[in-house]
Amino acid sequence: MRPRTFERGIYLLGRKEATQNKPIEDIPLPPEVVIPLHQHVGAPCDPLVQKGNRVLVGQKIGDTDTFISAPIHASVSGEVKAIEPHPYFMGTEVLSVVVVPDGEQEEVRLEVPDQDKLTPDRVRSIVREAGIVGLSGTVFPTHVKLLPPKERPIDSVIINGCECEPYLTGDYRSMLESTESLIVGLKIILMTVGAKKGYFGIGVDKAEAIKRIEDLTAREQNIEVVPLDTKYPQGSERHLIKAILGREVPRDGVPMDIGVLVQNVATTIAITQAVREGKPLMERVLTVTGPGIKNPKNLRVKIGTVARYLIERCGGFEGEPGKIIFGGVMRGEAQFSLDVPVVKGSQGIVVLPKEMAEISSPRPCIRCGRCVKVCPMSLIPAFIVTYVMEDKIDEANAAGVLECIECGACGLICPAEIPFIQYIRFAKNILLKERKT
């Protein structure tokens, strides 16, 4: 059967060979962890501990009463060394709890309910207390996502197994190594939102994962595995839904407007661990990779571990580093410091050597139209960026700048090397600030 996909988009080299066959490794405790109190969409948390306190693994160290937020937990046991602003991967500073591990790893967990008496409200409460957010980088609090309004019922749940960013393989390895937890997680989500059908949307470049999940769900009448083309950005919620269900998310809407909820692989496994084991979200799987890393790996990492330590665990740099990216090369954030900690939304650290990270020299747009041909949102990126360059933000808004999903395909294909994403993010920031005032 031909794999399903969407219109437009772009085919990228996967560059996953370095880690796709490497099992996930646990690593020794770092000398300290730096845990930001704001790792999600919504309100930041207030600290619940003080300098000098001893904390346990899984202990809540930050929280707030705000609905759209998620608590923060200690990923190691040890002493709180400081509560202070610290560099964050977005280029800002965030109030963080610095903990020096004592090596004991004494742990506390959430109360595990009787699995036969689980209710949707109980699941949402556990997910909230576990601090689970979207782990694909969206970092939207999951307990909020699991509570759709009554007027917008969910009939379908899609688990996003595309991992279409080059180099990254953490989700792929998790699909192979935590398959049962992944399937249980989908069933928990289906029960919680009252949906009748669940789908695993997986890229055909992950054939082993497709087969393993198909084998384990063969008798599940309400679960289907859907092989998808490896086109980028197939993992975008809108394009995942279009490929699997043929439905269009309204331009100013969200998936629940058309009865769909999408979760990624890591989030779904985290839900199972919270509901079945009482385990808060305090570690995650990520890939440390790229041609600038000596020994690329998939690692299970304590939240708050800084990039420097992880790169050392992978043998250090291969040659002179040119760019260090948190996330993927298409949508990630370049870093200026190795002291930036891993947070809940960190999918990977990609290092490019100096020869692959030359600063481009943008030239005037030649109106070739390539950006239009690849834009998965059917926008005209060249027009939008021209408006932004001319400080015509209202015109850029009318041209759909807020609809851009920042996949980066336009910038990659542009022969004039125009940094589309930077201009688009600049305009979005202005418009979003205007909305708040």
Side-chain angles (χ1 to χ4, degrees), residues 361-414:
S361 300
R363 300 176 294 281
C365 175
I366 60 174
R367 299 290 191 267
C368 67
R370 293 185 187 182
C371 59
V372 180
K373 289 181 180 177
V374 301
C375 177
M377 294 302 293
S378 300
L379 301 172
I380 306 178
F383 281 8
I384 293 174
V385 166
T386 299
Y387 287 138
V388 179
M389 289 177 175
E390 296 174 352
D391 201 24
K392 297 177 179 177
I393 303 301
D394 289 340
E395 285 83 350
N397 188 20
V401 66
L402 291 177
E403 297 167 19
C404 173
I405 61 172
E406 302 180 21
C407 70
C410 50
L412 184 70
I413 203 75
C414 177

Side-chain angles (χ1 to χ4, degrees), residues 18 38 56 63 101 129 202 206 212 215 246 260 289 295 356 378 393 400 406 435 437:
H38 192 193
L56 306 180
D63 204 352
E129 285 303 298
I202 307 173
K206 302 170 183 64
R212 178 156 174 75
D215 288 346
V260 186
T289 185
N295 186 14
M356 292 179 66
S378 300
I393 303 301
E406 302 180 21
R435 283 186 178 183
T437 57

Side-chain angles (χ1 to χ4, degrees), residues 36 54 81 160 180 182 208 252 359 361 366:
R54 181 171 187 258
K81 174 184 173 184
N160 180 1
E180 290 83 0
L182 182 62
E208 192 176 344
D252 58 350
I359 299 174
S361 300
I366 60 174

Side-chain angles (χ1 to χ4, degrees), residues 6-11 231-233 372-377 407 409:
F6 60 97
E7 293 184 0
R8 305 196 184 190
I10 188 170
Y11 288 96
K231 192 192 295 185
Y232 180 84
V372 180
K373 289 181 180 177
V374 301
C375 177
M377 294 302 293
C407 70

Side-chain angles (χ1 to χ4, degrees), residues 97-379:
V97 178
V98 183
V99 183
V100 178
D102 59 14
E104 300 294 327
Q105 288 302 90
E106 189 178 349
E107 189 173 0
V108 291
R109 293 211 171 189
L110 306 172
E111 181 182 350
V112 178
D114 184 337
Q115 300 297 305
D116 294 329
K117 296 181 180 178
L118 271 181
T119 64
D121 283 343
R122 186 77 177 102
V123 170
R124 285 188 281 265
S125 173
I126 293 171
V127 168
R128 196 271 174 199
E129 285 303 298
I132 297 173
V133 300
L135 299 181
S136 63
T138 58
V139 291
F140 191 81
T142 301
H143 67 280
V144 180
K145 204 169 180 178
L146 293 178
L147 187 61
K150 290 182 179 179
E151 64 272 18
R152 290 188 283 182
I154 301 297
D155 60 61
S156 302
V157 174
I158 297 175
I159 305 303
N160 180 1
C162 293
E163 199 170 47
C164 54
E165 276 269 7
Y167 294 108
L168 303 184
T169 56
D171 276 0
Y172 173 58
R173 293 307 312 179
S174 295
M175 283 191 280
L176 293 178
E177 299 178 34
S178 301
T179 320
E180 290 83 0
S181 292
L182 182 62
I183 294 169
V184 168
L186 172 56
K187 292 178 179 178
I188 292 171
I189 296 170
L190 287 170
M191 182 276 290
T192 304
V193 300
K196 294 181 178 178
K197 188 73 183 278
Y199 300 86
F200 287 99
I202 307 173
V204 291
D205 59 336
K206 302 170 183 64
E208 192 176 344
I210 291 175
K211 183 177 187 311
R212 178 156 174 75
I213 296 174
E214 281 182 336
D215 288 346
L216 291 178
T217 58
R219 295 184 179 180
E220 306 285 350
Q221 298 298 314
N222 64 334
I223 295 178
E224 179 181 349
V225 180
V226 182
L228 298 169
D229 201 353
T230 54
K231 192 192 295 185
Y232 180 84
Q234 183 63 81
S236 145
E237 286 190 344
R238 292 171 178 273
H239 303 94
L240 199 58
I241 294 168
K242 177 65 177 175
I244 293 176
L245 299 174
R247 302 181 195 173
E248 297 268 7
V249 178
R251 281 192 171 270
D252 58 350
V254 293
M256 70 171 60
D257 292 335
I258 54 171
V260 186
L261 184 145
V262 179
Q263 291 287 3
N264 83 324
V265 167
T267 309
T268 306
I269 293 172
I271 289 173
T272 300
Q273 292 172 335
V275 173
R276 288 286 179 91
E277 305 168 24
K279 184 178 180 180
L281 180 57
M282 52 198 179
E283 62 184 18
R284 70 155 299 146
V285 172
L286 56 74
T287 312
V288 180
T289 185
I293 291 289
K294 281 187 177 176
N295 186 14
K297 296 180 179 180
N298 297 300
L299 301 175
R300 185 176 290 105
V301 175
K302 307 297 182 190
I303 300 296
T305 306
V306 300
R308 183 189 310 278
Y309 183 77
L310 298 177
I311 291 170
E312 289 172 357
R313 304 307 305 180
C314 293
F317 294 120
E318 179 69 41
E320 184 177 356
K323 184 179 283 188
I324 301 165
I325 304 167
F326 259 48
V329 292
M330 295 299 290
R331 302 188 64 181
E333 300 284 344
Q335 301 301 304
F336 61 89
S337 169
L338 293 178
D339 295 322
V340 173
V342 166
V343 293
K344 296 177 181 178
S346 304
Q347 295 174 282
I349 298 174
V350 183
V351 178
L352 302 178
K354 188 175 181 180
E355 58 271 21
M356 292 179 66
E358 293 182 359
I359 299 174
S360 62
S361 300
R363 300 176 294 281
C365 175
I366 60 174
R367 299 290 191 267
C368 67
R370 293 185 187 182
C371 59
V372 180
K373 289 181 180 177
V374 301
C375 177
M377 294 302 293
S378 300
L379 301 172

